[in-house]
Amino acid sequence: MKAPILFAAALLCLAACSNNASEEATTAYDATEQHLPVSGRAAEPVADTARKFLRTADVRFQSEDVARSTTAIEDAVIRSGGFITLSDLKSESLNRQVKEISDDSVLTIHTFRVVGLLQLRVPATSLDTILKAIGKEVVYLDSRTIKADDVSLQLLANRLTQKRLSGYGTGAMAQVKTSDRLNDKQQVQHSVLEKQEDADNTYVRDLNLRDQVNYSTLTVEMYQQDQVRRKMIGNNDNNRRYE
């Protein structure tokens, strides 16, 4: 009799262990589904140094505490050598109700949501690190978009344009020296100034593009779960009745 009883007990233990393992696996799976990764391959530097990528990222998520998450993200950006171009923290009013409790008192019920907006510039080599730091603040991820645009050809075009325009100025000034006509000299000088302006604009565009390549732009939108604030105040609209 003891052998069948022991065998049945063993089967029950195995079934219980199997159920526990299944429950643990399901829990882990659900947690993975809830906390999606914020970083991505597009945010990582590439081995091909000849290619230049302009990286941008946009993240929107729910935070347990927007104010605390804002401070944590800003600290991570500063440590990476980046900087904050916008930090906006505010409460959005969703609904307000006023209920009369007594002749001289009313209850105000205010529903609001705390939201935050950050615009950040971070070194391109640290973008993935910053995104992982942001991931620690995520309760629920609404969206995450990372873009990596290859601007190698644009940078090459800027260099060639600058070289071509600088060569034009040298040849044109040589032409001015050999010409005896005042009108021709004025036209050439005016043309040289126009080409120099084009060269300057190309140089500025090139600097701006290189800055965007070196420092990625990151936009972060955060919000908390809706909150309700209740407050008892005097019923000023009912003074006569109170008197």
Side-chain angles (χ1 to χ4, degrees):
M1 289 294 293
K2 290 184 178 181
I5 293 176
L6 291 175
F7 180 73
L11 288 177
L12 289 174
C13 290
L14 288 173
C17 291
S18 177
N19 288 335
N20 290 337
S22 177
E23 290 176 0
E24 290 175 1
T26 303
T27 302
Y29 179 76
D30 290 341
T32 303
E33 287 295 308
Q34 292 174 4
H35 301 285
L36 298 175
V38 177
S39 61
R41 291 294 186 183
E44 297 177 358
V46 295
D48 187 357
T49 56
R51 292 190 175 274
K52 303 297 181 183
F53 288 93
L54 190 158
R55 291 181 172 84
T56 58
D58 297 276
V59 183
R60 174 178 168 81
F61 64 92
Q62 180 182 342
S63 168
E64 186 175 349
D65 187 332
V66 168
R68 183 184 60 78
S69 295
T70 298
T71 301
I73 294 171
E74 290 178 345
D75 289 345
V77 169
I78 296 301
R79 286 195 301 269
S80 72
F83 50 93
I84 299 102
T85 58
L86 174 66
S87 181
D88 184 22
L89 184 64
K90 61 185 177 182
S91 294
E92 293 181 346
S93 180
L94 302 177
N95 186 32
R96 186 184 294 271
Q97 296 179 339
V98 179
K99 295 184 178 181
E100 184 174 335
I101 302 301
S102 63
D103 291 344
D104 63 341
S105 301
V106 295
L107 176 66
T108 62
I109 305 174
H110 185 202
T111 306
F112 63 95
R113 176 185 298 171
V114 179
V115 297
L117 175 63
L118 291 174
Q119 289 183 351
L120 314 167
R121 298 294 307 281
V122 299
T125 54
S126 301
L127 178 59
D128 188 58
T129 301
I130 297 301
L131 288 172
K132 289 177 180 178
I134 292 174
K136 297 178 181 178
E137 306 299 324
V138 174
V139 173
Y140 176 82
L141 180 65
D142 289 71
S143 62
R144 183 272 278 161
T145 303
I146 304 174
K147 293 181 64 179
D149 297 322
D150 189 348
V151 295
S152 306
L153 293 180
Q154 289 180 251
L155 292 171
L156 175 60
N158 288 341
R159 289 198 300 271
L160 294 176
T161 300
Q162 292 178 65
K163 183 179 179 181
R164 183 169 60 253
L165 291 173
S166 63
Y168 173 85
T170 303
M173 292 310 296
Q175 183 181 351
V176 169
K177 293 179 181 179
T178 59
S179 177
D180 295 331
R181 297 179 58 183
L182 179 60
N183 189 39
D184 290 345
K185 289 184 178 181
Q186 289 177 341
Q187 288 182 354
V188 171
Q189 289 174 345
H190 180 70
S191 178
V192 169
L193 288 176
E194 288 183 341
K195 296 300 182 181
Q196 185 59 55
E197 183 179 2
D198 292 340
D200 293 341
N201 291 335
T202 303
Y203 177 68
V204 172
R205 287 196 300 271
D206 188 69
L207 287 179
N208 180 56
L209 192 58
R210 291 182 182 277
D211 177 67
Q212 294 182 66
V213 169
N214 294 329
Y215 282 84
S216 299
T217 300
L218 176 58
T219 302
V220 181
E221 295 182 67
M222 297 172 284
Y223 63 93
Q224 281 182 213
Q225 187 175 4
D226 296 352
Q227 300 181 54
V228 179
R229 181 185 180 189
R230 295 176 174 84
K231 185 178 181 181
M232 193 79 70
I233 61 175
N235 190 356
N236 297 325
D237 296 332
N238 200 21
N239 289 337
R240 293 183 178 179
R241 181 179 176 183
Y242 173 68
E243 291 174 355

